[in-house]
Amino acid sequence: MRVLVVEDETLLAEQVKNHLMQQQFSVDLSHDGSDGFFKISEYPYDLAIVDIGLPKLDGLSLIRKARQQDIKTPIILLTARGSWQEKVQGLDAGADDYLTKPFHMEELLARCNALIRRAAGQPDPTLSAGPVSLNSRTQQVWCHGAEVPLTAYEYKVLEYFMLNPTKVISKTELTEHIYDQDFDLDSNVIEVFVLRLRKKLDPDGELKPIETLRGRGYRFNLAVGA
Amino acid sequence: MRVLVVEDETLLAEQVKNHLMQQQFSVDLSHDGSDGFFKISEYPYDLAIVDIGLPKLDGLSLIRKARQQDIKTPIILLTARGSWQEKVQGLDAGADDYLTKPFHMEELLARCNALIRRAAGQPDPTLSAGPVSLNSRTQQVWCHGAEVPLTAYEYKVLEYFMLNPTKVISKTELTEHIYDQDFDLDSNVIEVFVLRLRKKLDPDGELKPIETLRGRGYRFNLAVGA
DNA sequence: GAAATGCCATGCGCGTGCTGGTTGTTGAAG
DNA sequence: CTTCAACAACCAGCACGCGCATGGCATTTC
């Protein structure tokens, strides 16, 4: 999956790039609108993330020009907080989704995946792994068919696990994906949430869905799709 | 007003969706004929826009099957340029209007509005969920058969809930769909409306139609169509 | 002018996220 | 094999803040 990020704030652009690369995307960066337009015309990206305020050529114009050229790459528009008109203009110009800055990286990744899924014609918001299934639209979780009520953070942790099954996930990685920024490093919140998740999902200790890898992190060990 | 768009060209479908949403319609998309038929049979749409060339089940067959099942949803058929016979066949199959591609978006919107207005004298477009039912034309709401008087904003909130049953809806999402421009974010209006809705719909606290998810939003939890 | 509706301000209760401490487990070194 | 330190699991309690509830004010409508 190849993604183009058109963003002039270098720091933010790099952050977005890093997170996307963690999800196995190939990422190209562009720091102004005209370069972004050139790239999106040249390459068949699977997705583009475009800031609305850009040097040389603003995001809206970029999208309009691209759509005029019949470029169908799904586009997520990044807008400033609260400017509702911009969002409408963006969708009108041909963006597929928008996100207001500042945003949670999780949110962006979720929308990226949703958009890619939508483009692939698979609008299925449910993940399942073993007896556990999760619906990201309703944020409901079931285990053996029974609904398991989770709190907001418990849900976030589980969702991240199920999006990355069998992958070794360090506590810092979890933290970074669950909190926007600024978090206390010497805290055991993650451990507590993992504990509660294990209790709620697997009260009898049969499944062992979350494996501990000492000094490295956790691994979610249920066969996806089962 | 709820509209179904059955169109396999994703870009066009999204454009239509965006424009309709700007006119305060709720829009569902369907990318092939059989899915479109399923949706139009399931939900009481106020209008459907159907492309004639579709995968799995073509537009004409879709319309015929729907009409055979006594589904009266007004339908606009999208045909290719110049194929005069198709238009006749379409109207013959039960379409209410047609439009040849490519078309101006304004034209489509005008015809949508005309058709909805024309259909205003037709069977009631009611949504129902559990003991609650809602007529989007007259903006009346009933619970257990008794009419529940709602104010304008209470109605808007309920309508949005009933159009998105079981979906987690954040307060900002509600705000964006209910108000035309952006709004003071640190206001508790939404909470107040939800409170009043709960009181009016469920004074005894039996149904619990609107669930609160702390830090996340609300979820409307009544089975649609029940 | 009265009634209805939308919005704001305030207080309160409680769920939830987080902290601190203790117990348990692992693995490496002696 | 034993020891010990480091790490994780677990527990329980605290406090912050979210959402509920209420009353009052402003604005609109008839």
Side-chain angles (χ1 to χ4, degrees), chain B residues 150-159 178-180 193 197:
Chain B
L150 296 182
T151 69
Y153 278 85
E154 285 164 6
Y155 174 82
K156 283 189 186 185
V157 172
L158 179 62
E159 186 185 55
I178 282 172
Y179 294 99
D180 295 341
F193 286 133
L197 253 185

Side-chain angles (χ1 to χ4, degrees), chain A residues 191-202:
Chain A
E191 289 170 11
V192 173
F193 286 133
V194 169
L195 163 74
R196 290 186 180 168
L197 253 185
R198 288 208 253 234
K199 268 192 180 174
K200 284 190 178 178
L201 282 183
D202 186 31

Side-chain angles (χ1 to χ4, degrees), chain B residues 72-109:
Chain B
K72 295 172 181 170
T73 309
I75 297 177
I76 294 178
L77 182 69
L78 302 181
T79 70
R81 178 173 205 144
S83 67
W84 185 82
Q85 299 91 337
E86 283 183 352
K87 299 169 191 169
V88 177
Q89 286 174 5
L91 295 177
D92 218 30
D96 297 86
D97 201 351
Y98 63 84
L99 201 58
T100 52
K101 292 202 282 190
F103 51 82
H104 290 262
M105 205 52 78
E106 292 77 17
E107 179 78 10
L108 177 63
L109 294 176

